[in-house]
Structure formats: C-alpha cells, structure tokens
Amino acid sequence: MEKITASGEVYLNPRTDFGFKKIFSDRELLIDFLNGIIGGKAHIIDVEYLPNTLPGEWDSDRKAVFDLYCTSSDDDHFIVEMQRYRQIYFIDRSLFYTSAAIRSQAPAGKWDYKLNAVYFIAILDFVEFEEENVRDTYIEQVYLYRQNARKRLTGKLNMMFIELPKFTKRAEELTTGAERWIYLLKNLEKLKDCPAEVRGSIFERLFKRMQINKLTDREMEEYKTSIFEYDSVREAIAYSEQKGMEKGMEKGMEKASLEIAKQCLQKGLSIELISSITGLGIERIKNIPEC
C-alpha cells in the first residue's frame, strides 16, 4: 500500500506544472503518449527534447515559449501544452506557436521550402469548443483543408485539442492507448492504485514515477508550490464565475481574465505566471489596481 499524503493523495496531479514536467520529462512516457494521441498519423520511435523557447526572426520579435518541444527521429516537430484556463486569444496563440515551429525549419542560405510535419497538442483543463455537434468530442483535430475538394491540403500542419472535461469514460470503458492517457491526465491524483484497465509496463512506469512518497524533500516543496498555484487559479476562476462574468464573449472573457489576474495577484503568484495563465500582457497585469 502506498504512503498517502495528508490531503489523501497517492499520486501527483498531472495538470500542475510540476506533475506535467514529471511525466513528460520521461522519454518513454512521452513517446507512448504521442503515439497514442496521434495514432496512425506517425509512428515515433525516439524523440529529442529541444529548448522550449523559439526566438523571433529579429531580437525585437516576440518569442514562442512552449511547455514542451521535441522532434522525432523522422524530424517531425511536436509541441505539447497544458492549458489550465480559457484565454481570450488561445486559438491565436496556438497558431502562433505552430507557425513558430514551422518557421524554425528554414535553414540559412538556399532552401527548397520542404517542411517536416508539425504537431501541436494542447491538453485543456476546460471546454474550448461548445457547439452542439461536438459536445461529446474530447479530441478536436484541426488541419489545413481544401473546401471544394473536401480533402486535406497537407499533413504538415496538425493541431489537436484534448478537452479533459468532456472525457467521461470510467476505467472499465477504456479501450485505446489515447483513452488511457486522457483518463490518467484527468484522474490520476484521485486514484489510490493503478486500475487493472490501465496496467502494462508503460503505465506501471507512469504510476511509479508519479508516486508522491518517492519525491525528495526539495521536490515535495516544489510540488506544494505547484499545487498552490494550480488551486489559486481554480479558486480565482470560480470567483470570477460567481461574479457573473459573461461567457463566450470577447469582452466578457477579457473581464474574467482581469478578475482572475487580480485574484492571483492577491494570492502572491508571480506576474510572469499570471501572464502565462491568463494571456494578459505583463504590463497590463502590473497596471491592475490594487484592492
């Protein structure tokens, strides 16, 4: 029986910054996740971790900062993001990140413009797509599409949005690797042991790696900070919803972002973290009036 923390949790919350990095800094886990989510579109044998920041063309250009960035042995590019809060321009930011990975492939000098595929995978702790016909679709896939021919233009640009709240399957209903991964990303910290339905060497590796009682004292302090940040954001979101912020409207989402930023400032979160959570600029956050 695993040692349980005072909060009753045996395993790390994978949606925290610390938990996300703990999982996906393991090469074998990352490869299995990518193969499970992407399916038959690509078979990844190995990956190379890359710096998570891509500079602009000029020093003054805005940089693209990812949660995780890697390439496969076939030189395809993969960006994995964990997004905890719905941002006003989140889709635009996703396009910016994807285009940065495309632009980074241009070498100096003569070039024939041949590109390797880019996959942008966003794990969302909220619902982004609310149309009636996709309310049960928990993986939204986006490609460049030829409307008249009704076929894809290219496989070089691929975007996948995993909406965790839409995934409602129980452990006994899981049938694919993708479903097992999404189930664990949504529920891992609630589990006391590895369910029979997700057993196997790769998931046993995940459960062992994510045990709270295996953390060093330093890691435990880092995790506590990450949990505090995660809970603070969730509380700020709940507070903004209680205040009746409009949903689905640009103006309402901006007001909600400002309110969440204000609540996070009161809890002592860093301006840089608040900016990454809400999508608000650092100067905008600095100018939020104090209570």
Side-chain angles (χ1 to χ4, degrees), residues 84-85 228-237 264 269 277:
R84 290 174 268 174
Y85 168 65
F228 173 75
E229 293 169 348
Y230 178 82
D231 290 342
S232 295
V233 172
R234 303 293 290 182
E235 290 168 6
I237 292 171
C264 289
L269 273 64
I277 292 168

Side-chain angles (χ1 to χ4, degrees), residues 85-88 246 249-257:
Y85 168 65
R86 189 176 186 182
Q87 295 181 357
I88 183 172
E246 307 146 60
M249 297 176 61
E250 186 172 304
K251 184 177 179 181
M253 290 180 67
E254 185 174 6
K255 287 174 64 179
S257 294

Side-chain angles (χ1 to χ4, degrees), residues 15-32:
R15 299 177 308 286
T16 62
D17 184 62
F18 183 91
F20 176 89
K21 291 175 180 175
K22 189 72 171 175
I23 289 181
F24 293 119
S25 60
D26 184 291
R27 189 182 303 270
E28 290 189 30
L29 293 178
L30 174 60
I31 291 172
D32 191 80

